[in-house]
């Protein structure tokens, strides 16, 4: 059974520009995170970072997430390596040229809002706004405008506030210790739950029993 780390960095956003800045950071650093944590350090087969603004409008919060699944390392070690990458990755943002930053903005917008080729695709975009009660039917345009307003200084400020500043940032971790791995003594204060398997975990959840 593999060990898993899921780190969630919460960003209370005040504007679409703030929300898109966090997504832009994830877009710029995603391949570097994979290259460092998966290819070079070989921490696990599953390595990914995710930036989402899905709740930004309704709940004024965006999320940056790091997910690593490993058959060899403990989740505590995975967290240490993920933090080390985030500490060093700020240099990548510092070194971005104006052209590179612009290309990243265009790439992010195009990946989020591809030109709909079918009426059903356009319908799904509209229906998502209705079903989520956000009703921001000009979201693609609004996010494009927000991306255009983002500067390198804004990116670095958001990066520091959300990911680097340990005194002010809001971070939650899910640490799953695989078979043969035990929680670090420093984590004992968190009252970790020990399970023999997925079935036992499901039986402990009211909605999943049976």
């Amino acid at each position: 059974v593999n060990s898993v780390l899921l780190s969630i960095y919460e960003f209370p956003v005040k504007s679409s520009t703030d929300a898109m800045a966090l997504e832009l950071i994830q877009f710029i650093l995603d391949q570097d995170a994979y290259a460092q944590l998966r290819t070079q350090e070989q921490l696990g087969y599953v390595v990914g970072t995710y930036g989402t603004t899905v709740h930004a409008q309704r709940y004024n919060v965006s999320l940056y997430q790091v997910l690593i699944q490993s058959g060899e390392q403990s989740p505590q070690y995975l967290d240490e390596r993920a933090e080390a990458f985030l500490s060093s990755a700020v240099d990548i943002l510092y070194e971005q040229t104006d052209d590179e930053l612009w290309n990243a903005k265009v790439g992010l917008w195009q990946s989020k809002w591809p030109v709909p080729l079918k009426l059903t695709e356009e319908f799904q975009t509209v229906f998502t706004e209705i079903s989520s009660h956000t009703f921001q039917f000009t979201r693609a345009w609004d996010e494009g405008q927000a991306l255009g307003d983002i500067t390198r200084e804004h990116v670095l400020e958001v990066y520091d506030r959300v990911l680097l500043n340990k005194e002010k940032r809001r971070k939650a971790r899910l640490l799953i210790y695989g078979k043969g791995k035990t929680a670090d003594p420093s984590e004992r204060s968190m009252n970790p739950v020990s399970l023999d398997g997925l079935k036992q975990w499901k039986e402990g959840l009211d909605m999943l029993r049976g």
Side-chain angles (χ1 to χ4, degrees), residues 6-142:
L6 175 61
S7 292
I8 302 173
Y9 301 83
E10 186 180 281
F11 181 28
V13 297
K14 298 180 180 180
S15 66
S16 296
T17 305
D18 277 347
M20 294 309 301
L22 189 60
E23 282 203 63
L24 183 61
I25 289 169
Q26 186 276 331
F27 186 84
I28 292 172
L29 297 181
D30 187 52
Q31 291 186 356
D32 294 283
Y34 186 88
Q36 177 65 37
L37 302 175
R38 169 68 179 89
T39 305
Q40 295 186 30
E41 300 189 29
Q42 298 185 355
L43 296 180
Y45 184 73
V46 177
V47 175
T49 64
Y50 310 92
T52 175
T53 59
V54 66
H55 299 303
Q57 184 175 349
R58 295 188 67 184
Y59 306 112
N60 296 319
V61 63
S62 291
L63 304 175
Y64 182 96
Q65 302 175 69
V66 179
L67 175 66
I68 306 176
Q69 178 180 330
S70 175
E72 301 293 333
Q73 304 294 344
S74 71
Q76 180 69 23
Y77 180 77
L78 299 178
D79 185 47
E80 292 173 2
R81 298 315 305 154
E83 285 288 340
F85 169 76
L86 292 176
S87 295
S88 63
V90 66
D91 293 337
I92 299 173
L93 300 177
Y94 269 116
E95 295 169 1
Q96 285 266 303
T97 66
D98 291 340
D99 287 343
E100 289 172 336
L101 184 61
W102 175 255
N103 289 336
K105 293 179 182 182
V106 173
L108 173 58
W109 192 86
Q110 290 179 339
S111 68
K112 290 193 66 177
W113 301 106
V115 177
L117 301 178
K118 300 178 181 179
L119 184 59
T120 53
E121 295 174 354
E122 189 168 358
F123 166 80
Q124 185 59 49
T125 300
V126 174
F127 183 74
T128 298
E129 294 292 337
I130 296 173
S131 60
S132 61
H133 302 280
T134 49
F135 307 109
Q136 189 177 351
F137 301 112
T138 59
R139 184 180 300 275
W141 169 263
D142 296 339

